Amino acid sequence: MPSKRYGPLPAEGNEIPISVQAVERREEMLWTAHEPAEKQAFPPCIKGIMARAAGESGKHRIAAILAAFLGQAGYRRQEAMQLWSGVASAEERIFEEWFLKMHCPKCKVMQRQSRGYPDLGIADLGLCRPDEACQNFESPVEYACGIRSIEDREKGTLLHIKTQYRVRIFDWSTGREGEIELSEREKETLEALLVEKSGQKDKTLVYARVRVRGKLKPRFFLRDSEGPRRQMLSDVL
């Protein structure tokens, strides 16, 4: 039975009144191989992507997966771009957004159905055809680089890719707690609103999710309070 403490995020376009309970800083790291993986060591899904004829169906998902994979599998930018551009039919911005900036998705993500980019499920494309070795790994990168243990991770290094903030909130519409992940800029926007709200006791902080370039992004704003409610400790500190 799902926990009542952490409710689901609001649906796209829905607005919920919230209070901020805590903000936790998190550093996100990306494992990358010291040396490029041999092409014959690529897992079946990546070989399938490399051999796939260019087409419209799933082109952004394929481009993102391949860019992220090549970055973690140890390929330098020039060679990675050559391999990627020979396969991908998507715009170059996809390479720039994913190469050495995002994690290659795990197998369980790629095996699911997708409504389209940026969800990287590729079940509908028929590219995930596991061989006997696939059961020993959780991701294409682990397969290609032979990562079977903690010790094997010494074949690579950790690269800092971004700072994220985990914000714990209280949803006044449901009486449940939840968590939101924010970027540095999004966190600064939220903090500015909290400062503004501290001087306006008749205002309520509202959270929604809006689609920007295909991705759902958090949006915060203040609106007039509709009536009295209990205050959270964070409201008055």
Side-chain angles (χ1 to χ4, degrees), residues 28-233:
E28 186 167 345
M29 311 298 288
L30 183 75
W31 185 90
T32 62
H34 290 310
E35 300 294 333
E38 298 289 339
K39 294 181 181 65
Q40 59 264 33
F42 287 4
C45 57
I46 300 299
K47 288 180 178 177
I49 288 174
M50 301 288 289
R52 188 173 187 267
E56 287 297 313
S57 180
K59 68 177 184 179
H60 291 98
R61 286 175 283 161
I62 287 172
I65 290 169
L66 184 58
F69 171 82
L70 292 172
Q72 287 194 265
Y75 285 81
R76 302 301 178 259
R77 174 175 290 273
Q78 184 175 355
E79 186 176 5
M81 175 56 85
Q82 289 176 347
L83 289 171
W84 185 87
S85 59
V87 174
S89 56
E91 50 270 42
E92 191 174 315
R93 70 171 176 84
I94 301 294
F95 180 86
E96 297 298 337
E97 289 174 358
W98 287 84
F99 181 75
L100 288 180
K101 292 181 181 177
M102 302 288 279
H103 294 270
C104 180
K106 292 185 179 293
C107 299
K108 64 181 181 181
V109 172
M110 295 171 63
Q111 289 167 353
R112 69 192 185 195
Q113 295 289 339
S114 168
R115 294 183 178 180
Y117 182 81
D119 185 333
L120 299 186
I122 55 172
D124 59 305
L125 303 179
L127 294 171
C128 183
R129 299 179 179 179
D131 61 15
E132 292 183 0
C134 285
Q135 63 183 338
N136 299 317
F137 304 99
E138 295 184 352
S139 74
V141 173
E142 289 183 359
Y143 185 116
C145 299
I147 307 300
R148 293 181 172 85
S149 66
I150 296 297
E151 289 74 21
D152 286 335
R153 291 192 171 274
E154 294 180 3
K155 298 177 182 179
T157 189
L158 290 175
L159 174 70
H160 179 268
I161 53 174
K162 60 184 173 182
T163 299
Q164 289 284 98
Y165 294 87
R166 179 174 291 175
V167 181
R168 195 167 76 247
I169 64 168
F170 183 84
D171 177 357
W172 288 97
S173 65
T174 63
R176 296 181 177 181
E177 292 183 358
E179 289 185 347
I180 311 169
E181 286 199 349
L182 303 180
S183 66
E184 183 86 36
R185 180 174 295 181
E186 291 164 346
K187 189 264 298 184
E188 290 174 354
T189 298
L190 174 60
E191 287 179 336
L193 282 172
L194 290 174
V195 170
E196 181 181 346
K197 179 180 178 299
S198 66
Q200 303 181 60
K201 299 302 182 181
D202 59 341
K203 297 291 184 180
T204 296
L205 179 64
V206 178
Y207 165 52
R209 294 194 300 163
V210 297
R211 194 168 296 276
V212 179
R213 295 177 63 181
K215 297 181 180 180
L216 285 174
K217 297 287 188 178
R219 175 174 177 257
F220 302 97
F221 61 94
L222 299 179
R223 72 179 178 203
D224 292 336
S225 298
E226 297 176 354
R229 62 167 173 81
R230 292 179 294 115
Q231 284 189 307
M232 298 294 291
L233 180 60

